[in-house]
Each structure stands twice: as structure tokens, then as C-alpha cells.
Amino acid sequence: MAHVRTRLALLGSAAALTAGAVVPAQFTGAQPAAAADREWVALGDSYTAGVIPAAGDIFEIPRDGCERTDRSYPQVIDRDLGGLFDLTNVSCGAATIENVTDRAQEPIGRNLPPSQDPDYPYPALPPQSEAVGPGTDVITVGVGGNTLGFAEILVKCMELGQGSGAVGTPCKDDLAAGIPARLSKVSKEYDRMLTVLNERAPKAKILTIGYPAIVPKDTSKCRSNDLTQFGSITKGDLDWLRQDVLEPLNKAIEKSTGTQKAASFVDLDESSQNYSVCDTGKRVEGFITSPDQLSFVHPNAQGHRNAADHVESAMLNTLS
């Protein structure tokens, strides 16, 4: 019965916790004890903010609903390099590209059925780009999965997989025709976002952060109907998700990055191979983290540590 309740809760809340899902009032990053020489602004969605318990504890009081955690990669880097960079972290769970560029966001916190967040609803937050200005030296931005609709794709794949007997590609058959348009939307909005960031911070180096490996190349590693992995999503659909959704998403981000001289792409996919949701030593959690924490396919602390290593290297290169 507990397993059934978890599945129902997952399906009921998955669209809200997006990847793919979690100042003055907004722009309060963890600040080093002494001011650093270079200003760094971290932008992004839940893959940047941390959001899930497996990525640490929420550290901001009062909470603003973005669910930034203390083991997310911006905070890890801040502890590592805080003497060099002064961090403002405005990443937010469920953020879209437009929420970074110019659309206000209403954070959801952890108001996920059947749980109620006592602080919900949260006030709307300004577009993340407003934290960027002429004095900004480095911008890191990890976003795109929510604009693609990766969360809803995962939920649909799980629902369709439940009636498939764990075989075939029911999700691919249902959704594949619409993926090119979703990817085109990501590319168009990402191009515009980078233009806006460059206009707001003309001297800044922009580091765009790709998404890590989520689905293994060998999907025989994945167990059917295991919510600590991909639940009822079929192996055929997992192959499709990797090849036709996730890898093209990273390629779209990398291609957009190439349109800006001030921007560089930070690849996380290669370094996270063999640490997927279905691997031993995973760096990305499945739908849940045992026994019953909703994780909805987000990086854990080890995944954020890996991201931190690569983003740190790119940040240090901006000093030369």
C-alpha cells in the first residue's frame, strides 16, 4: 500500500517539480566572509538549485520557494572558491528559460500533493536576469529542461508504460512527433536569453551548463517498476529518451552557446556516464530516493559535486 501511495503521489506532483525542480528577497546567495574581486551570478532551474533532499538542506531563511540546497553545485563552488568569486545564487526549482530571461516566476516550494508546504504560496520572483548587471564578471546558467517539458514527458512515459507490460515504445509512439518543435522552442528561447544576458553584463563570461547523463546507454541496467529508478518506463522508451530527447537537448544548448563569443558550454554528460539513475553509485536519483523521498530524476550531492568540479575549472579559466 505504501508503494501505491508513493506512485500516486509521484504522478500527482510530478508536473510541479520539474527538471527535467527547485536576494534582496530573491537575490540572497551564500556570501563569503570577505568580498571577492569578481562577481558571479548563478542562474538556472532545479538542476542548479538542488531542490531535493538528496542534494542537501535548504539553507535560506526565510524561504522563497526556490528550494536552493547547501550541496548544490553553486554552493559547493562558493565554499571552494569563495575567496575568488562573490556569489549571488538566484537559481530556482521549476524555472524555465523565460523565467531566467524576462518572466516572473511563482515558486512552488515543496507544496507537492499529498504534502502541503506551510509557507506556500510564495510571492512571485523577478526574472533571474535582473540579478545580472554591468559589474557582473561571470554568469553560470543551467536551464532548458522545463522549457522542453521534460517533467511532463517523464510522467507520460510512466503512465503509458504501466499499460504496456514493460515492452515496446509506447511513449515514443505517442510523443516523438512533437519533440522537434519542443527542441526548436528551447533553441529560440536560449538564443534570446544569452543575448539578454550579454546586454545586461557586457563584460561577463557566460558559462552554460549542460545536463548530466540520466539514462544509461545500456538500459538493461534499469529495473522495471522500480521507483528508485524509472518506474514503469519501458527500456525502449528509455533508449528513446536518451537518444532523441536528452542528448539533443544538450546539443541545442551547446549550439546556442556557440552563437555568443562571450559564452562557453560546460559539458556534464561525458563525465557522468556510468553514474546514471540505473548505475551503482548513481549521481542522479530516480523518481524517489529510498525509502520515500520524492526526487523526480534530479542530481544528488555526488552529481552536484561532479558539476562543481567542471564548472569550477571553467570559472578559473575566466581568470586567465
Side-chain angles (χ1 to χ4, degrees):
M1 182 62 70
H3 179 76
V4 173
R5 287 198 300 269
T6 300
R7 181 184 294 275
L8 291 175
L10 169 69
L11 292 176
S13 63
L17 180 61
T18 49
V22 351
V23 297
Q26 178 191 13
F27 303 148
T28 305
Q31 302 295 333
D37 291 335
R38 296 174 67 81
E39 296 184 10
W40 162 36
V41 179
L43 315 174
D45 59 23
S46 53
Y47 271 59
T48 298
V51 172
I52 66 172
D57 298 322
I58 299 168
F59 61 87
E60 292 172 311
I61 304 296
R63 294 166 60 213
D64 62 4
C66 286
E67 307 305 277
R68 303 177 196 93
T69 61
D70 60 3
R71 299 181 73 184
S72 61
Y73 73 78
Q75 302 308 134
V76 173
I77 295 172
D78 190 43
R79 289 190 289 272
D80 289 349
L81 302 181
L84 296 175
F85 297 91
D86 190 357
L87 170 63
T88 300
N89 182 1
V90 295
S91 60
C92 194
T96 64
I97 296 171
E98 287 187 331
N99 292 142
V100 173
T101 307
D102 55 15
R103 177 174 290 181
Q105 180 179 356
E106 296 181 3
I108 59 174
R110 291 186 174 173
N111 196 60
L112 304 169
S115 299
Q116 292 186 340
D117 187 331
D119 298 322
Y120 182 85
Y122 292 91
L125 297 176
Q128 293 181 27
S129 65
E130 291 190 12
V132 173
T136 304
D137 298 289
V138 177
I139 302 167
T140 58
V141 56
V143 71
N146 296 319
T147 299
L148 182 75
F150 185 58
E152 66 182 75
I153 293 171
L154 282 177
V155 173
K156 189 66 172 179
C157 288
M158 173 178 271
E159 292 173 342
L160 292 171
Q162 288 176 347
S164 71
V167 297
T169 56
C171 198
K172 174 183 178 182
D173 298 342
D174 189 70
L175 298 181
I179 297 301
R182 291 173 183 256
L183 290 167
S184 178
K185 177 179 174 67
V186 169
S187 295
K188 181 179 179 180
E189 292 187 12
Y190 214 99
D191 286 349
R192 181 169 173 272
M193 176 190 72
L194 292 178
T195 298
V196 168
L197 293 177
N198 186 59
E199 290 173 350
R200 292 185 67 92
K203 70 174 185 177
K205 181 69 174 179
I206 303 171
L207 303 176
T208 64
I209 318 302
Y211 288 89
I214 296 170
V215 180
K217 291 182 178 179
D218 178 8
T219 53
S220 68
K221 298 177 180 179
C222 300
R223 298 184 296 271
S224 296
N225 297 311
D226 183 348
L227 286 173
T228 66
Q229 295 186 0
F230 291 105
S232 57
I233 300 178
T234 68
K235 291 179 173 61
D237 278 334
L238 288 174
D239 284 324
W240 170 70
L241 285 169
R242 185 189 70 254
Q243 296 171 356
D244 293 354
V245 180
L246 293 168
E247 291 176 357
L249 172 61
N250 273 332
K251 289 178 181 177
I253 293 170
E254 184 175 14
K255 183 177 180 180
S256 288
T257 304
T259 66
Q260 291 281 344
K261 291 183 179 180
S264 297
F265 177 69
V266 179
D267 175 49
L268 299 182
D269 180 78
E270 183 177 355
S271 63
S272 55
Q273 294 293 332
N274 299 318
Y275 298 96
S276 76
V277 169
C278 301
D279 282 298
T280 301
K282 66 175 71 174
R283 293 175 179 168
V284 181
E285 298 295 317
F287 282 111
I288 67 170
T289 301
S290 184
D292 59 2
Q293 290 179 343
L294 180 64
S295 298
F296 203 58
V297 193
H298 280 71
N300 56 30
Q302 291 74 32
H304 281 280
R305 176 70 261 183
N306 179 66
D309 290 342
H310 289 79
V311 177
E312 275 184 25
S313 178
M315 290 176 66
L316 290 173
N317 284 339
T318 69
L319 298 176
S320 59

